[in-house]
Amino acid sequence: MVQSIIFDMDGTLFQTDKILERSLHDAFNYLRSLNNWEGETPLAQYREIMGVPLPQVWETLLPLHSNEVRELTDAFFLERLIEHIKSGQGDLYPNVKEVFDYLKEINCSIYIASNGLTQYLKAIVSYYHLDDWVTETFSIQQIQSLNKSDLVRAIVVKYGITDAAVVGDRLSDIKAAKDNGLIAIGCNFDFARDDELAQADYVIDDLIELKSIVTP
């Protein structure tokens, strides 16, 4: 029996898409105001790499810019994301809380492992009161390697987890499960890719389907 579930956040529990576009536009408008960007906001390019740690995001989107500019952009982007969360412009995916209630009823522990930054994750957890269900939320910032597999391993070690599943929408989540001997459940949601989901043990189109996979 699966005794613990480790969830990804962006594109799995939280509908990042609802605040992503406006936050990215905010960040690149900021760069334009500093005369550090011309042209359109690279939203499509960001969608392609969605799920990687933010330092890698800015290396990809701003390859010719200095680290100082990348860090300024990162800080501004994070600020805008949090503001949009607190103003209620984001949302959880359907059935998150119903599934969490179910998992608690069958004594299945819930954790979050995300490539998001700590402040950002705290804003989501606080706004939606996820601490009512989630044992602990882990950010990639806590792992020097910035590797999702290492982050999941840290959770496994800290809580002595043996039978668990990782639920997420991208290859890094599936790989994190496989690297730690856990079940990989892929979410066919906004940012998912068929070639990545093909490597999961299960694929779901709605979180409510977890109730038929994770049983007492």
Side-chain angles (χ1 to χ4, degrees):
M1 173 187 165
V2 173
Q3 296 174 327
S4 303
I5 301 282
I6 301 171
F7 287 91
D8 175 45
M9 178 67 89
D10 291 315
T12 299
L13 297 176
F14 184 67
Q15 296 187 56
T16 317
D17 205 32
K18 293 196 171 184
I19 62 168
L20 174 64
E21 183 171 342
R22 68 184 70 209
S23 299
L24 202 64
H25 280 309
D26 290 343
F28 278 84
N29 281 335
Y30 174 65
L31 285 175
R32 291 182 189 100
S33 75
L34 300 176
N35 295 316
N36 272 319
W37 186 260
E38 294 181 2
E40 296 182 357
T41 300
L43 184 62
Q45 190 178 6
Y46 188 29
R47 286 179 179 276
E48 286 294 314
I49 59 172
M50 181 65 191
V52 304
L54 277 174
Q56 292 175 234
V57 167
W58 305 120
E59 287 173 12
T60 303
L61 300 187
L62 303 172
L64 303 179
H65 291 68
S66 67
N67 284 332
E68 181 182 4
V69 170
R70 291 174 188 165
E71 288 171 5
L72 281 172
T73 308
D74 185 50
F76 188 84
F77 181 65
L78 177 62
E79 178 184 303
R80 298 309 299 153
L81 283 171
I82 291 173
E83 183 58 36
H84 292 316
I85 292 164
K86 289 181 176 180
S87 63
Q89 296 179 52
D91 203 358
L92 299 177
Y93 277 96
N95 300 312
V96 167
K97 293 185 177 181
E98 181 177 342
V99 168
F100 278 8
D101 280 338
Y102 169 75
L103 293 175
K104 280 296 186 182
E105 285 172 10
I106 64 171
N107 295 315
C108 184
S109 301
I110 302 169
Y111 306 89
I112 293 172
S114 172
N115 281 337
L117 302 181
T118 302
Q119 286 177 272
Y120 167 74
L121 296 173
K122 282 182 177 178
I124 297 172
V125 169
S126 175
Y127 188 85
Y128 296 102
H129 306 288
L130 297 184
D131 276 344
D132 291 348
W133 300 272
V134 177
T135 301
E136 188 172 353
T137 298
F138 291 78
S139 164
I140 201 68
Q141 277 184 294
Q142 297 169 241
I143 299 294
Q144 187 173 2
S145 67
L146 299 180
N147 183 290
K148 191 70 167 281
S149 295
D150 293 341
L151 183 62
V152 168
R153 186 170 300 116
I155 300 173
V156 168
V157 170
K158 178 173 181 177
Y159 286 95
I161 294 170
T162 53
D163 299 307
V166 176
V167 179
D169 64 317
R170 297 306 303 265
L171 184 60
S172 60
D173 304 302
I174 295 166
K175 191 172 184 300
K178 300 291 188 179
D179 288 346
N180 288 283
L182 308 179
I183 297 168
I185 301 175
C187 297
N188 189 22
F189 298 170
D190 296 313
F191 302 107
R193 300 173 63 155
D194 290 341
D195 58 327
E196 297 180 358
L197 292 177
Q199 301 181 50
D201 298 305
Y202 299 90
V203 177
I204 59 175
D205 296 308
D206 189 303
L207 289 169
I208 202 69
E209 295 173 46
L210 288 175
K211 293 176 72 171
S212 63
I213 297 173
V214 183
T215 56

